């Protein structure tokens, strides 16, 4: 494997280029990309050109770089989340139809919930095109639903390293949230983005009773009816789980 | 750039690994992946391990390789199709609500229509999770709508190289389709997957009057009402176009 003067491999540099795009910024000038990736302009240019030939990046006339359409296609046609989303989608549509709320599906990745699918309530144009968002476990009902159903070891490891960057929440508070979610079989939490909304999420277990996802809704406070929401979510989660062998 | 004995660069080999997954096959055994990518098992293993460390691939316990969740996230949060899909989604939902038909959005990539978004008619569970499909221009209304509004030069180049693998359609027939679509402002074609359905698609032009996408519906033959469908699609396409500067 070829290493540059700084000792990183070609693979490392390719990854740094792909990772350099900030969330929601689909294009960067070549020089800005080099700067953000921490790579010299010359080798950035060379790598971008190589990756563009394969459609992994797209180098435009004015030196504008985007992720390539071919890369988007390859990743989405063989998405690691495809089986889960295919199993979940009909049930998510049911929830959307019956409850008319925003529905989401998340997986645990590190100490965060990664949202892999999202349906908006009818009439809202909240944007479904934007998926792949993340939320720290302790501020999302999906994150709490996921973490509360992991092994004791993983939960302990999570709590051990836990530190709220805003210093508001302690590990003990999160431990309490997790215990509650584990006991109740669902997690609920006031909205972070909008404090007048609540998130409620339940774990989705596969055929081996392993929690592989969380199914949740985001509900305006005025429409918060746990008695109706939780059984609907739990029923849908069981339906999804039946489709998932492992 | 390091070249292997066979002369291909590390970038080439990374691309070959990502491209090696056949459509809809999200996981491969390491040996199968090496075979499909045309790479020695040892270097495949080394590369896969490196890419796994960054989450671009995911190497499972049993030697199973998938595309990585991190790669999926990076590509989808900065999707090259994001601006187009965000502009199109509310209009696609309108079409879905008003006409209750399957709605799709495609871009031209090479000589194919690449479907970047899709909404199913209410009540159908045709799967929205599966996007990133492709259809040759001459057998999809989206492809014809896209190609019929490209420059004369590009159309000539397309027709020059045109060859139907099944020997059914000649370049002259396709030329006729394109002329018709160009004149009418929409393309229509009997369904390929299901011959009892029709596809109708219209071009989506950006602020510079360049055709950047096709908006289409797939309609059961019994519900085919061009007089209603075409104006609705054209109105929506203009709405999408207004959001697209370039």
């Amino acid at each position: 494997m070829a290493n540059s003067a700084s000792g990183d491999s070609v693979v490392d540099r390719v990854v740094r280029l792909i990772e350099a795009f900030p969330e929601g910024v689909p294009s960067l000038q070549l020089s800005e990309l080099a700067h953000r990736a921490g790579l010299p302009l010359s080798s950035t240019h060379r790598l971008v050109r190589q990756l563009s030939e394969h459609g992994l990046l797209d180098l435009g006339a004015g030196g504008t770089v985007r992720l390539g359409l071919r890369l988007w296609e390859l990743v989405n046609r063989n998405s690691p989340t495809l089986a889960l989303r295919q199993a979940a989608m009909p049930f998510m549509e049911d929830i959307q139809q019956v409850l008319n709320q925003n529905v989401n599906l998340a997986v645990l990745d590190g100490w965060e919930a990664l949202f892999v699918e999202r349906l908006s309530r009818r009439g809202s144009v909240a944007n479904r095109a934007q998926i792949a968002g993340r939320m720290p476990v302790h501020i999302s009902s999906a994150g709490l639903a996921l973490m509360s159903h992991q092994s004791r070891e993983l939960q302990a490891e999570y709590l051990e390293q836990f530190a709220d960057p805003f210093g508001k929440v302690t590990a003990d508070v999160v431990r309490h949230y997790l215990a509650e979610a584990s006991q109740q079989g669902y997690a609920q939490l006031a909205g972070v983005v909008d404090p007048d909304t609540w998130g409620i999420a339940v774990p989705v277990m596969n055929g081996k009773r392993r929690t592989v996802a969380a199914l949740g809704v985001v509900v305006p406070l005025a429409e918060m009816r746990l008695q109706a929401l939780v059984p609907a979510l739990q029923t849908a989660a069981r339906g999804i789980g039946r489709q998932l062998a492992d």
Side-chain angles (χ1 to χ4, degrees), chain A:
Chain A
M1 195 65 43
N3 289 335
S4 72
S6 58
D8 53 351
S9 72
V10 175
V11 169
D12 291 330
R13 280 176 273 156
V14 167
V15 172
R16 279 157 74 179
L17 287 180
I18 294 177
E19 285 187 332
F21 293 83
E23 183 160 352
V25 178
S27 71
L28 288 174
Q29 284 296 308
L30 202 54
S31 52
E32 172 77 5
L33 177 61
H35 174 71
R36 286 184 177 271
L39 295 173
L41 185 57
S42 59
S43 63
T44 300
H45 197 176
R46 195 174 57 239
L47 264 177
V48 166
R49 231 177 25 224
Q50 273 192 292
L51 290 163
S52 300
E53 280 164 21
H54 295 289
L56 264 59
L57 292 179
D58 175 34
L59 176 55
T64 309
V65 187
R66 295 169 183 272
L67 296 184
L69 198 55
R70 176 80 179 137
L71 179 61
W72 179 87
E73 178 191 1
L74 289 170
V75 170
N76 280 291
R77 77 176 197 191
N78 289 310
S79 158
T81 69
L82 186 62
L84 174 62
R85 283 157 62 226
Q86 280 185 330
M89 193 69 76
F91 295 97
M92 293 179 71
E93 286 174 353
D94 292 345
I95 293 283
Q96 186 195 32
Q97 292 292 319
V98 174
L99 301 177
N100 192 25
Q101 302 293 354
N102 296 305
V103 192
N104 58 58
L105 184 73
V107 299
L108 188 64
D109 191 47
W111 309 132
E112 292 176 313
L114 173 63
F115 290 87
V116 297
E117 194 56 77
R118 170 172 293 172
L119 292 181
S120 309
R121 59 191 289 168
R122 289 188 301 279
S124 93
V125 284
N127 218 311
R128 207 194 68 201
Q130 206 141 25
I131 47 170
R134 277 177 182 267
M135 298 260 282
V137 159
H138 72 287
I139 55 170
S140 75
S141 53
L144 291 173
L146 283 161
M147 184 55 80
S148 64
H149 287 75
Q150 302 301 317
S151 69
R152 275 169 200 281
E153 293 72 26
L154 194 80
Q155 290 191 45
E157 194 187 330
Y158 164 67
L159 289 166
E160 181 120 354
Q161 61 76 51
F162 179 81
D164 177 9
F166 303 105
K168 283 190 186 163
V169 182
T170 65
D172 276 343
V173 171
V174 179
R175 183 177 290 110
H176 171 73
Y177 285 165
L178 292 175
E180 202 173 63
S182 168
Q183 194 210 323
Q184 294 177 333
Y186 65 87
Q188 56 168 318
L189 209 57
V192 173
V193 181
D194 177 355
D196 290 338
T197 64
W198 276 74
I200 299 135
V202 303
V204 176
M205 294 179 199
N206 67 9
K208 295 175 180 161
R209 302 278 303 159
R210 208 164 61 80
T211 294
V212 292
L215 177 70
V217 286
V218 178
V219 184
L221 205 48
E223 297 173 29
M224 178 71 173
R225 293 158 297 140
L226 271 183
Q227 297 90 330
L229 294 171
V230 171
L233 285 173
Q234 286 174 332
T235 306
R238 292 174 68 96
I240 298 168
R242 261 198 305 281
Q243 319 276 328
L244 298 170
D246 56 3

